[in-house]
Amino acid sequence: MSGDHGPRACVPGALAVLRAEPGLELVLVGQPAALEPELAALGAAERARVRIAAASQVVGMDEQPREVIRRKKDSSLRRALDLVASGEAAACVSSGNTGALMATAHFVLGMIEGIDRPAIISAIPATGGHTCMLDLGANLSATAEQLFQFAVMGSVVAGDLLARPRPRVGLLNIGSEDIKGHQIVKEAHQRLQASRLEYVGYVEGSDIFTGAVDVVVTDGFTGNVALKTMEGLARMIAGAIREEFTSSPLRVLGALAARPALAGLRERLDPRRYNGASMVGLAGIVIKSHGAADATAFAHALRLGVAEARNGVPSQISAQLQAQAA
Amino acid sequence: MSGDHGPRACVPGALAVLRAEPGLELVLVGQPAALEPELAALGAAERARVRIAAASQVVGMDEQPREVIRRKKDSSLRRALDLVASGEAAACVSSGNTGALMATAHFVLGMIEGIDRPAIISAIPATGGHTCMLDLGANLSATAEQLFQFAVMGSVVAGDLLARPRPRVGLLNIGSEDIKGHQIVKEAHQRLQASRLEYVGYVEGSDIFTGAVDVVVTDGFTGNVALKTMEGLARMIAGAIREEFTSSPLRVLGALAARPALAGLRERLDPRRYNGASMVGLAGIVIKSHGAADATAFAHALRLGVAEARNGVPSQISAQLQAQAA
């Protein structure tokens, strides 16, 4: 129900995935009066794979997580997570309030045994593919042990998403020499070196994009700053491209001649293609879609939820943790 | 003498600035045998404004700062800083080992009274201008008081570089609500709110590029990650532009037609235009040029040193600190 565009963006996005995935069943959680009209154009066979679960409340984008847990028990956000907890749904995908989603998911689903805190992970475009990065802002800080747990979870997600049997893990730091870095980062480095993960050592911010590693591990403060920095810079460069190609009639003509290349570039830079971040560590699958997601972007986030459900990410994380401890 | 390309990049870059700045006198510090040949093409009037100061040692890019201070007393890096300390030079510009430069500068020049630690600041391209950001990696962490000192120094530098009488200062955080953030960030926020600076509050990574603030303040770990993330993403996008415009003969033709726009874009994205970071807080002007800087990039860093010397940045910082305390 939430996100900047409400059901008008989410539902068409969800239905696009429904059409493409014959095995998928959708539960739309929210106010039936708002959701029903969005289903009008659906054929009977597909309509049979969609169920509406009524929830009377909506969580606002600025509401405090604690208040949401306490007072919004019949919100779409809460009800959707309840469905995951009860096993009626395999994953929850939401464009809503990130803090409220995280806190409520933590409260409703609990954690995977052996994981202290949830982390936000997303696949970031890199040269020749993607790099999975976490934590992108679920936590303000992380202990060395938590960074190790992030590395385990990142390996599982990257193994599935990037189809890598032994994902290479890097720990974000500000220099490549062993002497640099916070005490916590140094401890995590030692913990990772002693682990059975494919740990390659420290990486710097620029390595997120080179394909040198499959997983970049950092604390939620640093990860969120890096993520927002990328978003801001990509937006500025996209604006610069637009300006350079429209600043004179001759340049507009040039842009016409360069249309295929510009279209290819626009597609590569399209943030909607990278929408959907997973809240890993929870004992259930929760995908956060960007608040501003349109139908295309929401569909991408939903596909991520479908993939995680098929791959059984939480059980894989448990298994990987045990393999590390064995 | 150092940097990836040695005197062959630095000296031509320095001479380009010498030609453009009739009031400038250059002291080239290093091995005369390596430096002399680079001056061969210089006219007599300009040659009279260049002096070579001999230094027999060169600091390697991987040498430990402590060892450099102890054993490299006749290095170009050390001698150049000695010239600033003795007042024979108004600024030191180096493409050398960042850690060694910072530590030696700290040792040789000392700090401005009232400033605990040096910070690295640079002007980052933003929509419609630039944003000055610090600390980009001089320190691993910062106290609330040090973040306040960074804000004072950032205001001085932005005031000069961006020609803003009252630069707007933002504190980097991961949410715009007052409740978010580390304890240190919260304390710095209160300190800045109570200051006489033009403090606008918390900003996120994306705000570095929007022109919403003139100065972004953060600790050296976060700042360095953000900086390297920008560098990596910009490089990846530049590569993507190249690929899209060369992937077929038709696209190469399109690129020809779009040449003025592409040239404009290339210029905007050219990292050489943003070369040169200032080590503020030291009782003397020290500019770090990128190790990989070519002549064009080095000239840009040198121009920054000239500007800081003309503006008397260290005395301005002292004055601004006193004004804050008064």
Side-chain angles (χ1 to χ4, degrees), chain B residues 118-143:
Chain B
I120 296 177
I121 185 166
S122 188
I124 289 165
T127 305
H130 291 83
T131 303
C132 289
M133 184 164 169
L134 76 169
D135 173 17
L136 297 176
N139 308 281
L140 283 170
S141 59
T143 64

Side-chain angles (χ1 to χ4, degrees), chain B residues 22-161:
Chain B
L24 179 67
E25 291 180 31
L26 276 178
V27 188
L28 303 177
V29 189
Q31 293 164 348
L35 296 170
E36 269 304 351
E38 302 292 336
L39 302 178
L42 218 51
E46 280 156 355
R47 184 63 187 80
R49 291 193 281 132
V50 183
R51 174 161 85 79
I52 291 178
S56 64
Q57 295 172 303
V58 176
V59 173
M61 296 303 262
D62 293 324
E63 286 188 65
Q64 295 299 316
R66 267 183 227 183
E67 293 299 300
V68 171
I69 292 175
R70 200 174 301 154
R71 296 180 207 280
K72 291 286 177 89
K73 291 180 184 163
D74 196 36
S75 62
S76 50
L77 187 154
R78 172 65 175 270
R79 289 289 180 210
L81 291 165
D82 287 341
L83 290 173
V84 175
S86 68
E88 290 170 82
C92 162
V93 183
S94 169
S95 288
N97 179 327
T98 308
L101 182 66
M102 173 64 79
T104 310
H106 195 167
F107 178 77
V108 169
L109 300 172
M111 299 300 301
I112 294 170
E113 203 187 319
I115 301 287
D116 295 351
R117 305 290 316 264
I120 296 177
I121 185 166
S122 188
I124 289 165
T127 305
H130 291 83
T131 303
C132 289
M133 184 164 169
L134 76 169
D135 173 17
L136 297 176
N139 308 281
L140 283 170
S141 59
T143 64
E145 175 60 25
Q146 286 163 356
L147 289 171
F148 164 74
Q149 293 168 6
F150 293 172
V152 170
M153 297 193 287
S155 291
V156 167
V157 171
D160 290 338
L161 281 189

